[in-house]
Amino acid sequence: MHDRHTRRFGLGTATCLVMGNIIGGGIFLLPASVAPYGTVSLAAFGVLTIGAIALALVFGRLAERHPDTGGPYVYAREAFGDFAGFLSAWSYWTMTWVSNAALAVAAVGYIHVLFPGHESKGMDLVVALAALWLPALANFAGTRYVGAVQLVSTVLKFVPLLFIAVVGLFFFDPDNLGSFNAGGGSAVGGLSAAAAILLYSYVGVESAAMSAGEVRDPERNVGRATVLGTIGAAVVYLLGTVAVFGTVAHDKLVQSKAPFSDAVNAMFGGQWGGTVIAAAAVISIIGALNGWTLMSAQSPYAAAKDGLFPSAFLKKRRGVPTVGVLAAALLATALTVINYVIGAAGVFEILVLITTFSATVPYLLAAGAQIYFLLTGRRDKVRTGRFVRDLVLALVAFGFTFWLVAGAGYAAIYQGVLFLFAGILVYAWMAARRTGRHQTSDPATIADADADADADADADAGTGAGGGADAHDEAQAGASAR
């Protein structure tokens, strides 16, 4: 039963959702990860930022056209049909719950810094599962609580990171930077190698578009939140990395296990920096898990509305698809248990590699959908300046995402394609069920189903004239699909 609810994410909350999902735990290790390549990695970060902002702008433009929950799935299905939509939803869903397990495991390391001396495999498992289920419980409470947690956690992690980034510039010493191309070889090779590590720093730009059904005035606010959240994350990433590069000696940074902690200690002395950064990292990861748990439910919910995922994923409570949240939490729990109890680290690493490829499939299809919409649109309805600008942005976004695929590496692409193709079995099953229902239904039954779809869509869209219009459009799309 769908409950009536208003759209609960304003511009500020939607922006925090984007920023919080982009900035997870990786930022705290990134400077050390790219230090071996030298300061060319800063140039790589700049190039990636341009691509990420182009992708953010494309999602904003797509959300103006289709302001519905599901984001990339909605765009892919609208442009290329059910199968492309399913592949987008399947890939995105896979990426979310597997990466949630990885985030939970990452949180354990930072917890050890805050509370040393209690290390055991059993306790680590308890901590990781708590990191998974606390955000899940916040999601079960409804989108109002998801938004509140996201707002608080984003502020609590953004402020200390930005403080280090800005204050670090006053302690900046060029002698700490090392050479431009420390890895040797060509500068282009160094740029690409550093970019391969940094590529997935911006996964999450689609978060507002994915939850467009919960955003107030989505035609305007989804695009704004996407761009503002991406730029906010970029500021933290770029300034933070520059500050660490300029405060920690290059030879020490290459070996660092906690580069931001080392930067704080270099600026202010003592060893308290590790504790401060560990606390910020835990808050950052919990905030990211809170947002990604919601994302893990939105894609299958949107696909289930069109009969491409099991209908159980349609169940919502206080704006949150509860079955999707539960399924993602259970699957992430299973992976976490495998990691700690069975000790099959190789299996876990393979699954994490799958996420790197899976994230790019919805991005490629979304960018391709925007190109399709532009090229098939009525030219008399599109101003030449805007058409050219949007087409260039879409091509840049497509190229950026294609670069993500290339940078994922052979192993990630190989494993990711296998898992992607496994989804074809699910699609075949769901398509067969839909065909069977259609063949056995008489016209009166189909009319009743259409009426039910109208009522469900109206309940999902919420109150108000805007919600009613969205519901009518969604119901008509559902009727056409059947």
Side-chain angles (χ1 to χ4, degrees), residues 467-482:
D470 287 345
H472 179 73
D473 290 342
E474 290 176 10
Q476 291 300 318
S480 299
R482 284 189 296 275

Side-chain angles (χ1 to χ4, degrees), residues 47-122:
V47 173
L48 289 174
T49 299
I50 294 172
I53 292 175
L55 189 60
L57 289 167
V58 168
F59 277 120
R61 298 291 291 133
L62 286 166
E64 289 180 19
R65 187 189 302 269
H66 300 288
D68 307 311
T69 292
Y73 157 76
V74 175
Y75 317 142
R77 181 176 178 272
E78 182 71 19
F80 307 124
D82 285 350
F83 186 58
F86 172 81
L87 290 180
S88 177
W90 175 263
S91 296
Y92 195 86
W93 184 58
T94 301
M95 182 268 293
T96 54
W97 57 262
V98 178
S99 62
N100 278 358
L103 279 170
V105 172
V108 174
Y110 292 110
I111 291 290
H112 284 319
V113 177
L114 292 176
F115 304 101
H118 302 283
E119 296 186 26
S120 71
K121 187 172 288 188

Side-chain angles (χ1 to χ4, degrees), residues 1 21 81 141 481:
M1 187 73 181
N21 282 359

Side-chain angles (χ1 to χ4, degrees), residues 269-282:
Q271 296 297 317
W272 56 273
T275 302
V276 173
I277 297 305
V282 170

